[in-house]
Every structure is written in C-alpha cells, then in structure tokens.
Amino acid sequence: MVAYSKTKVACLLIFFFSEHYVGLSNGKEEKSPTKQDVSHSRLRDRKNLENILQLSPDVHGKQKYSSSTLNIKAILDKLRAIYQSSIKPLEDVYRFTTLGKNTVTDGEIYAKPMILFLGPWSTGKSTMINYLVGLEDDAYKLRTGAEPTTSDFTVLMNGEEYRTMEGIVLAADHTRSFSALEKFGQGFLERLQGIEMPHRLLQKVTFIDTPGIIENRKQQERGYPFNEVSQWFIDRADLIFVVFDPTKLDVGTELEAIFQLLKGREGQIRLILNKADSVTPQELMRVYGALFWSLAPLINVTEPPRVFIGSFWANPIKPNTMTQLFEQEENSLLQDVHEVVRNGVANKIAFVRQHAIKVRIHALLVDKYVEVFKNKKSLFTDNEKILSHIIDHPEKYYIFQSVQSHANISKYDLPDPDIYKDFFHMEAINTLMPLNYHCSFFKGCMYDDLNAAITVDLPKLLQEVRKGQDVCTVGDKDCENS
Ligand SMILES: Nc1nc2c(ncn2[C@@H]2O[C@H](COP(=O)(O)OP(=O)(O)O)[C@@H](O)[C@H]2O)c(=O)[nH]1
Ligand SMILES: [Mg+2]
C-alpha cells in the first residue's frame, strides 16, 4: 500500500517549487552565463560545511574535544559490558550465529557513525564524498566519471596517515567493525577497499561508497551477493543517502531490490536529487515529481522521506540555476550529517537493543521447540520422525503463535519458520536446553539478564546519553557557553 497519496505529493511539489521558483523570478534571476562564469577553475567556498559540521579547530578547542571523547568512550564501555554480560551469553548457548546472524563485535561497538551512499551509477556518489571530505585535489580522492567507475565498496575512514587497505586486510582486522564481512567470501573481499586518512570529518563519521546499481545486470555477474552485502551495510548505517541523477531516472529491478532491503530503515533514508545544476528549473520540477511518482510504491511509510535537491560537488553552482535553493538544501543536508554525529552513540545503543530483541525472540523459539520435543518424545516412538514433524510443521504445535502471544511480540518481528528447518539441521536439538536450565543460584537466569538489558539497562544508558547531550556535546555551541 502506498501510504501517502500521489495527489499529496503533487501539492507538496507545487508548494516546494513555487517558493523557490518564484524567488528566482522575483528579481533574483541571475544573468546568463558567460564563459568565465561557467569555468570551474575555482572551487566552492567550504565555510558552510566547516561551520555546520564544526570542522574548524577554533570551534571545538582541544580540551573540549578530548573531554567529550572520553565521555563517549565511557558510555561505549558500558554498552560493551551490558552486551557481554547480558546478551552474548544467551546468543552463545542458543547458537544465534547459526541463523546466519552476526554477533556484535567490539569493533562495531566502538565504530564511528556510518554514512552509506547508494544509488544508480554515475549519479555523483563518489563526487559527493570527495566534496564532503574535500578531496578534489587529493591523490586519495575517490574515482569519479561519467561511465560506471566504481565496482568496489570503499570505506573511507580516519587514520593516522594516508593509506589504502585491501578488503582482506580490512576484514581481517578484528578491532574494526568490518570483520563480519568475511562471510561474503573472497569474491567480495576483492571488491572491498579501505582508505584511511587523518581528517576532522572522518574523526566523526565513516563514509561508505558503493558500486552503482546497473539495471539489467544479473546478480551473479558481480561475483558476490550484492544484495546481502548491501543489506549488511544498510542494517548498520546511521544515515543512508540514495542518490539520483535528474537526467537518468531509471527505476528498474535492481533499484527496486535495494528499496526492498531498505525496509525498516526508512528513518535513516535521505533521497538526493543530485546534479540539479545540469537541468533547467522547469525540468528539475518535472523530475522531482517523477522521482516521487516512481519511488512511492517502493516506500511503505506514512511520511515521505526527505529529499535533498542540489549539486553536491565542489564546483561553484552554475548561474541560471536555483542557487539559493541549492545552498539551503546543502545546509540542511549538512545539518542531517551533524545530527548523525550527535546521535551516533544513541543510535549504537538502539542497534544493540534491537539485536538483543532478536536474540530474545530466537531464545524463546528454541526454548519452545525444545519443550515441545521433550513432551512428544518417548521410549516407544521414533523420535527422529517426531522431531522432523515438529520442525516441518511448527504451526501444528503452536510454536510461533505461543511465543508471539506469551512474549507480546509483533508478528512482523517473528522470523520465517523455514530458517529453523536449517537451524535444526545444523544444531542437534538434544544439545540445546530449555531457558530455565540457564539459571543459577548466584547469577540468576540468563533470560532475565537479557530482558533486563532490553527493558532497563539499555534504556537507562540511552537516558544517560541524552542527559549528557543536554549538558554538553562534542563541539556543541550551547556547551561553549555553559
Ligand atoms: N553537473 C554535475 N555533474 C556532477 C555533479 N556531481 C557529479 N557530477 C559528475 O557526474 C559524473 C559521475 O560522478 P561519480 O561521482 O563518479 O558518480 P557515482 O558513480 O555515483 O560515484 C562525474 O563525471 C561527475 O563529475 C553535480 O553536482 N553536477
Ligand atoms: Mg562512484
């Protein structure tokens, strides 16, 4: 179901453009371009970028920066302790990773917020990252071009010195957050690369550049599971920019598949109508409508996602385009990036809590399977046959239904029963114990610890972060005066 009507979109569109378009014709129209105007010999002023992202050294003095870094580290240490003591034990005893899920590594807990760029090829993803980091004249800038240039997933991150890193090296380093990517195989690791450099923005966030989506390309031609890899990044990204080019708005099967993967992460999605300087305002208005029109059936939320329109590169905005609108849009986008930095720790706590909820559902399901099997098996029956029947027909034993009602879980959060067929083929049921087996006099029950993490410890930690943010945050202007 499309939750917001196309008429609403059309109204929104007219309102949005009328403001800026009228602005343009109300005396703000710019002179037609001369040869000198369109030359891109000088780069755009980066003051707005430096101010909004608080990158200049004078905005956050050394002392402030280090004290709040310490604070974040203390929170993340607590998060790690909760994970290790209350979530991981149940994950281990119920072999959560056999479901094909990851555990949460230390690297992930301490990782910087991640901003992911997705979208068709040649829409300006790499150019945009180069612009944000200021790499235009840098030997380490990401490759860009009108043809499909990037076949790699590139992780751009902070480091003490400039260096590139092969995917195998990046994934083998367990102090980083990318070690789980090893599971996608050599084919993928060859298409993964890391770039490290000392940079103020990269001290705050990590950027992930992805190969562009090319419609009509078969998945296997990539030599690795592109969708699964994309899903891994989508699940972890704090902000997801889906970048479009107004001159080629082809929504095909691969883009549809990506939107399928984005389900549940709508809050993180930002659509970007980039290269808006390459079309006239009138064309841009039509394209904006067309973009919403084609994406509406793919996004199943009540609120349309935020769209940023502009020209997100270092070249000065071309005359005869909607300069004022593009500048405002760029500033709003930068604000969004800044919010991600501010909320990075809170997002991480939410991610671990979400993970804990999945572990809880898994533990309850396995407990139920074990209980049903224990009740049905006997000395006089073919227990193998009974087990197969339970695994093949969990609905006949009300396994999922009883977990759902007992634990008050939404049916949309329950996993597909089929994955438990694979699970019990890999894990012998008699090696798994019911939940009450994992209780001890001194330590209490593992399940209670997990529940306490979900309902008390993690929300409390989140509160601590929010309170801390009110008082003082990295480079926060209000902080400066307190
Ligand atoms: N006119 C215009 N061209 C752009 C803009 N951003 C990028 N480009 C050009 O678009 C082409 C593709 O950019 P690239 O970053 O390689 O796209 P990617 O494949 O999505 O990473 C390059 O030739 C860029 O110079 C923009 O804002 N305006
Ligand atoms: Mg690229």
Side-chain angles (χ1 to χ4, degrees):
M1 190 197 80
V2 181
Y4 53 96
S5 74
K6 288 176 177 174
T7 338
K8 254 195 216 163
V9 170
C11 294
L12 204 113
L13 183 71
I14 289 163
F15 170 76
F16 181 73
F17 274 96
S18 58
E19 258 201 84
H20 295 280
Y21 201 49
V22 168
L24 196 77
S25 54
N26 272 354
K28 289 189 183 171
E29 209 160 357
E30 284 159 63
K31 61 184 186 333
S32 47
T34 64
K35 210 166 184 184
Q36 203 184 353
D37 286 331
V38 285
S39 110
H40 290 153
S41 55
R42 76 187 167 84
L43 298 180
R44 201 186 286 182
D45 179 33
R46 294 175 61 84
K47 271 208 184 74
N48 63 327
L49 214 139
E50 307 250 321
N51 285 342
I52 297 173
L53 298 176
Q54 303 184 347
L55 300 180
S56 47
D58 46 328
V59 173
H60 39 212
K62 221 173 176 170
Q63 203 187 345
K64 180 131 270 166
Y65 187 75
S66 56
S67 72
S68 58
T69 307
L70 254 182
N71 197 2
I72 289 173
K73 164 100 172 49
I75 298 278
L76 294 179
D77 284 345
K78 281 191 198 169
L79 180 61
R80 181 183 181 274
I82 294 172
Y83 174 69
Q84 289 292 340
S85 65
S86 307
I87 304 167
K88 183 93 174 38
L90 217 60
E91 212 181 277
D92 290 343
V93 295
Y94 288 112
R95 330 263 163 80
F96 186 63
T97 51
T98 305
L99 287 180
K101 310 265 194 232
N102 297 305
T103 58
V104 180
T105 61
D106 284 359
E108 269 181 299
I109 288 178
Y110 293 101
K112 310 232 156 55
M114 197 159 85
I115 301 186
L116 176 66
F117 286 76
L118 293 172
W121 60 275
S122 197
T123 55
K125 298 181 291 300
S126 308
T127 306
M128 192 170 162
I129 299 177
N130 285 338
Y131 172 50
L132 290 170
V133 186
L135 296 180
E136 295 77 22
D137 297 327
D138 199 296
Y140 282 80
K141 74 173 176 204
L142 301 174
R143 268 188 68 212
T144 61
E147 73 293 349
T149 40
T150 328
S151 57
D152 288 352
F153 279 77
T154 306
V155 179
L156 187 62
M157 59 202 151
N158 193 52
E160 279 177 11
E161 51 181 15
Y162 279 78
R163 68 176 179 137
T164 56
M165 220 183 280
E166 285 182 17
I168 306 172
V169 180
L170 186 63
D173 185 347
H174 289 261
T175 62
R176 294 178 194 278
S177 51
F178 303 102
S179 50
L181 288 169
E182 276 183 321
K183 72 174 178 187
F184 297 116
Q186 282 301 313
F188 169 65
L189 293 182
E190 279 164 23
R191 300 259 63 99
L192 173 71
Q193 65 151 336
I195 303 176
E196 265 192 348
M197 64 180 74
H199 193 282
R200 279 184 193 280
L201 181 54
L202 299 175
Q203 282 173 358
K204 301 170 180 234
V205 286
T206 294
F207 290 105
I208 313 288
D209 193 17
T210 64
I213 294 164
I214 302 181
E215 296 300 348
N216 305 325
R217 182 212 289 262
K218 287 197 200 91
Q219 281 281 309
Q220 59 267 34
E221 277 177 35
R222 293 191 192 263
Y224 63 88
F226 176 74
N227 282 357
E228 283 167 45
V229 172
S230 301
Q231 184 78 76
W232 190 90
F233 281 106
I234 287 169
D235 286 347
R236 282 155 186 79
D238 296 82
L239 199 55
I240 303 167
F241 288 138
V242 191
V243 188
F244 293 93
D245 175 341
T247 60
K248 54 179 183 65
L249 272 192
D250 40 349
V251 175
T253 48
E254 198 162 4
L255 192 67
E256 276 179 24
I258 285 286
F259 273 91
Q260 204 59 32
L261 306 177
L262 287 167
K263 289 216 151 75
R265 304 245 55 213
E266 287 81 3
Q268 279 66 39
I269 303 174
R270 306 289 182 273
L271 303 179
I272 298 189
L273 194 49
N274 195 19
K275 299 197 195 179
D277 61 342
S278 54
V279 291
T280 64
Q282 194 183 13
E283 278 167 330
L284 188 59
M285 191 171 129
R286 291 208 187 104
V287 170
Y288 183 82
L291 180 73
F292 253 102
W293 194 263
S294 36
L295 295 185
L298 306 180
I299 307 168
N300 196 9
V301 280
T302 42
E303 292 243 334
R306 175 76 164 92
V307 183
F308 293 106
I309 299 183
S311 171
F312 301 95
W313 67 347
N315 295 338
I317 296 175
K318 283 184 204 160
N320 250 9
T321 52
M322 296 193 278
T323 311
Q324 204 190 352
L325 166 70
F326 296 171
E327 282 172 356
Q328 285 168 356
E329 287 287 278
E330 180 172 308
N331 289 345
S332 311
L333 180 137
L334 293 173
Q335 282 294 353
D336 246 13
V337 172
H338 181 59
E339 276 303 300
V340 159
V341 175
R342 273 180 68 108
N343 298 333
V345 183
N347 288 348
K348 197 140 292 172
I349 297 170
F351 171 72
V352 171
R353 189 169 175 276
Q354 214 45 45
H355 178 86
I357 290 171
K358 286 183 194 152
V359 174
R360 176 170 167 256
I361 294 173
H362 172 66
L364 286 167
L365 283 169
V366 174
D367 174 66
K368 197 76 200 160
Y369 273 102
V370 170
E371 183 197 313
V372 169
F373 179 60
K374 209 173 119 213
N375 291 342
K376 297 282 167 200
K377 74 175 182 180
S378 76
L379 275 177
F380 313 105
T381 48
D382 180 350
N383 290 333
E384 279 296 314
K385 215 166 149 191
I386 288 180
L387 180 60
S388 297
H389 196 260
I390 297 172
I391 292 168
D392 289 341
H393 304 283
E395 71 288 351
K396 295 205 168 133
Y397 302 89
Y398 301 103
I399 291 180
F400 282 70
Q401 293 92 319
S402 69
V403 166
Q404 190 197 331
S405 57
H406 165 79
N408 200 13
I409 296 166
S410 151
K411 73 173 178 189
Y412 300 106
D413 286 338
L414 283 177
D416 181 349
D418 278 355
I419 67 171
Y420 282 90
K421 286 185 192 165
D422 295 336
F423 179 81
F424 285 109
H425 281 135
M426 286 187 270
E427 301 289 350
I429 197 159
N430 52 17
T431 64
L432 295 156
M433 299 297 156
L435 277 170
N436 58 16
Y437 176 87
H438 300 290
C439 296
S440 79
F441 183 75
F442 290 109
K443 288 189 176 169
C445 297
M446 280 186 190
Y447 181 73
D448 293 343
D449 290 346
L450 180 82
N451 250 341
I454 294 169
T455 54
V456 183
D457 305 338
L458 292 172
K460 226 162 98 186
L461 196 60
L462 200 58
Q463 227 173 15
E464 213 177 296
V465 171
R466 298 231 160 100
K467 252 196 238 151
Q469 266 181 346
D470 288 344
V471 179
C472 208
T473 332
V474 191
D476 195 326
K477 279 261 165 61
D478 302 335
C479 272
E480 243 86 42
N481 308 325
S482 64

